[in-house]
Structure formats: C-alpha cells, structure tokens
Amino acid sequence: MKYATLGKTDIRVSRICVGCMSFGTPSEDFHLWTLDERATYEMVKHALDLGVNFFDTANCYSHGTSELFLGTAIKCLGIKREDVVLASKVYFNEGKLSREAILREIEGTLQRLQTDYIDLYQIHRFDYDTPIEETMETLNMLVRQGKVRAIGASAMYGYQFMNMQHVAEQNGWTLFSTLQNHYNLIYREDERELIPIADQFGVSRIPYSPLAGGHLSHQGWESGSKRSNTDKNIRSKYDPEKENNLEIISRVGELAERLGVSMAQVALAWHFKRGVTAPIVGATNMKHFDDAVKSIDLVLTDEDTTFLEELYRPHRISGAYAPQK
C-alpha cells in the first residue's frame, strides 16, 4: 500500500479510501444493497489487511447505521484509534449546516463511531440557508475543541468553495483540507472550475463515485447486480448521457484488454494520473478492494489518458446543488 498526506495536515492516508455508503441496514428509503453488520466487519477487516487505513462515511448513510457498523467493526477488531483515519459528513439532517445542527450532529457521529474525535469532518453539500461565516466558524470551533482534526467539502460549485475558503482565511479559521467531489471518466464537469480552485489551495482531492457506480468496471450498461437493479440515484446521474458514457466505457475496456488488467484498475489509475490523492471506492465484495489496490501501481501514459478522455462531451451538473428558485 502507498500513502499520502491530506492537504497541509499531518494526516497520512492510504491511496485508496473505503466508501462506507456500502455499509448499513438496507432500507427502501435509502439503499437496498448495503451490507449488514457481520458483512461490514469482514469488509473492514479485509481492507485493513490490504493496508487501507482510510474510511469515509456520513451521518445520513443508512440512517446512521453505516457509522455504527464501521465503529463497531473497528472496536471488535481491536484496531488502535490512531491506526485508522475516519471521515464523516454533515448536511443531510435537520438544520443542514447551521451551528446548532453541526454541534448536534457531530455528537451523534462520535457516539456511533465510538470515538472522541473525527480525523476528517466534511460538509456534504453547500447550504444556501446558513451564512458561510456561521458554518466555517462552527467547524473551526470543533477543530479547536479537538473533536475534529481537519475539515473538508464535498460537491458544490467552484465559487462556493472559493468563498468558504476566503471567509476562513479572513477570520483565521480552519480551511478545507480536502475536496470530495463527483469525478470519474464519465463525469468530468468539475475540471472547469472546482478542481483548479481546490488545487490552488493545496487541497487533497478524494472523489466519490470514481467508478461511476460500477459502470466503469464492466462493458455494457447493466451489470445485473442488486445495486444496478435498485439504485435510482445511479440511474439519475448517468442514464441521461448513456450514449456518450458507453463510448467511453468501451475505451476503458479496450485499454484494459491491451494492458492485461481489469477495467476498474484502468478507471482508478486514471484518477492518480489526474492528481487525485485517494479515490473513495465503495464495494460489497472483497475482490473489488483487491482490484482497487492493484490500481495504485498501474501508471497510465499520456497517450493512454488521451485515448480515455477524448470522446467526452459536456454533461449536465450532477452533485452540486443549484439554488432553489
């Protein structure tokens, strides 16, 4: 396993992050394909055995049971707290990113994860209802209290990320160290503004959906998996540009065959070529983590990268929330 430092912090993470949206009690109003507590334990153990130390979850994943299952697995495995990097998120809750909401939600997250601090606490979306100053001051308060080591942002528009960083700078508050945005070979809209701004601030990029919900790991559109059959969110993100997406997926398959590796390895290696610190890989099967780890040592050439990218056409925005009219 290879490791990297998050932003300008001293937090060292594996180059692959475990996406814990795959963990938690299945439900009709969240996801039906998530892993139960026992299966979560086995997946966490396997990831740790591979040298992965970075886990990303959220207070809303499976109504909090993702955090609960992850915290329980780490405790039952007897892992020292300092040997894992735990990341969680706040926003999809009452009050979104208000001071009251953040202070309430961090306590629930700490309790479910069975820890007294979070290594990386991220805002899950931009909150149009709360002043930026209130959000950034509250996040800074958590850092000063020792409940959070570093903060990060997820999907939003470039100007919003820039404004939040500037507010923190002007007031001497903690800046974002990471950006967890929607990014993969079939969704690259953030290359226009958000990614360059993050790079300007020396922020580490840890994108979600690096395999586009599994689309980039196999030829064709449908995989027949339980997630593919039941996840409406994936369909809303990728189905509208299906024709162009299939052209790119075909290129991934062609390059994978030429290099003698899996399509997932090619799709993840592209992230490293594009400066990503640690793509967040969700999995419900151990072999998926095995495959992801192998991608770290796969180095794509400039010619390979052009071959993968050149067919891409602009997509509609997916991830950042536009203001409601």
Side-chain angles (χ1 to χ4, degrees), residues 5-304:
T5 302
L6 290 182
K8 299 175 182 178
T9 73
D10 61 354
I11 302 174
R12 297 285 289 175
V13 299
S14 51
R15 297 300 303 276
I16 294 293
C17 177
V18 177
C20 299
M21 191 170 70
S22 302
F23 306 154
T25 303
S27 64
E28 289 282 353
D29 58 346
F30 193 76
H31 292 310
L32 291 169
W33 47 267
T34 52
L35 301 180
D36 64 20
E37 190 166 5
R38 180 63 194 179
T40 295
Y41 172 91
E42 296 295 341
M43 291 292 281
V44 170
K45 181 179 184 301
H46 189 66
L48 290 166
D49 288 343
L50 291 171
V52 176
N53 73 340
F54 193 13
F55 298 84
D56 175 79
T57 184
N59 62 347
C60 64
Y61 289 170
S62 294
H63 306 292
T65 57
S66 171
E67 290 180 330
L68 181 61
F69 289 4
L70 175 62
T72 300
I74 290 171
K75 181 178 181 180
C76 291
L77 286 166
I79 305 299
K80 293 181 180 178
R81 177 63 184 85
E82 60 269 24
D83 290 339
V84 291
V85 176
L86 300 181
S88 195
K89 298 183 282 294
V90 59
Y91 172 87
F92 291 104
N93 43 256
E94 182 182 353
K96 298 178 181 175
L97 300 181
S98 67
R99 176 175 287 105
E100 179 183 2
I102 292 173
L103 295 180
R104 178 190 68 240
E105 293 300 319
I106 187 66
E107 295 304 325
T109 288
L110 291 171
Q111 183 178 16
R112 288 187 291 272
L113 286 171
Q114 302 177 56
T115 182
D116 56 5
Y117 70 93
I118 301 298
D119 296 285
L120 177 64
Y121 202 44
Q122 306 154 97
I123 59 170
H124 216 153
R125 290 296 185 273
F126 181 83
D127 183 1
Y128 290 94
D129 300 325
T130 302
I132 289 174
E133 291 80 3
E134 180 177 336
T135 296
M136 297 307 287
E137 183 180 27
T138 306
L139 293 172
N140 181 69
M141 184 190 310
L142 296 181
V143 174
R144 293 184 62 181
Q145 291 174 346
K147 293 181 179 180
V148 170
R149 294 178 66 192
I151 62 172
S154 190
M156 61 178 62
Y157 291 101
Y159 77 91
Q160 295 167 339
F161 186 86
M162 173 73 81
N163 288 342
M164 298 189 88
Q165 291 287 68
H166 279 171
V167 163
E169 281 185 323
Q170 291 165 1
N171 289 279
W173 297 332
T174 306
L175 276 72
F176 294 131
S177 294
T178 62
L179 172 66
Q180 183 181 152
N181 63 315
H182 181 198
Y183 191 49
N184 55 58
L185 272 164
I186 61 174
Y187 185 82
R188 295 167 45 205
E189 295 309 296
D190 287 348
E191 290 177 351
R192 304 171 191 275
E193 294 184 358
L194 183 57
I195 288 174
I197 292 170
D199 290 346
Q200 176 183 320
F201 279 99
V203 164
S204 289
R205 290 187 277 120
I206 53 172
Y208 70 85
S209 294
L211 297 175
H215 281 307
L216 290 164
S217 64
H218 59 82
Q219 288 282 18
W221 197 242
E222 304 293 346
S223 70
S225 69
K226 188 172 184 179
R227 180 177 187 181
S228 177
N229 292 334
T230 63
D231 196 328
K232 296 178 182 178
N233 186 41
I234 288 180
R235 293 189 179 281
S236 68
K237 283 195 291 189
Y238 302 117
D239 281 11
E241 286 84 19
K242 178 179 176 180
E243 182 180 350
N244 182 222
N245 292 341
L246 280 170
E247 293 175 326
I248 298 165
I249 289 168
S250 179
R251 287 280 180 106
V252 175
E254 185 178 336
L255 182 59
E257 186 174 356
R258 189 190 314 160
L259 298 177
V261 298
S262 72
M263 289 177 61
Q265 288 177 48
V266 168
L268 291 172
W270 173 81
H271 279 274
F272 299 124
K273 181 72 172 179
R274 284 287 166 238
V276 165
T277 298
I280 297 174
V281 179
T284 54
N285 190 305
M286 292 183 188
K287 67 179 182 181
H288 296 158
F289 280 140
D290 296 334
D291 214 24
V293 169
K294 291 177 183 176
S295 71
I296 299 171
D297 295 318
L298 177 60
V299 179
L300 301 181
T301 66
D302 291 342
E303 292 75 16
D304 293 334

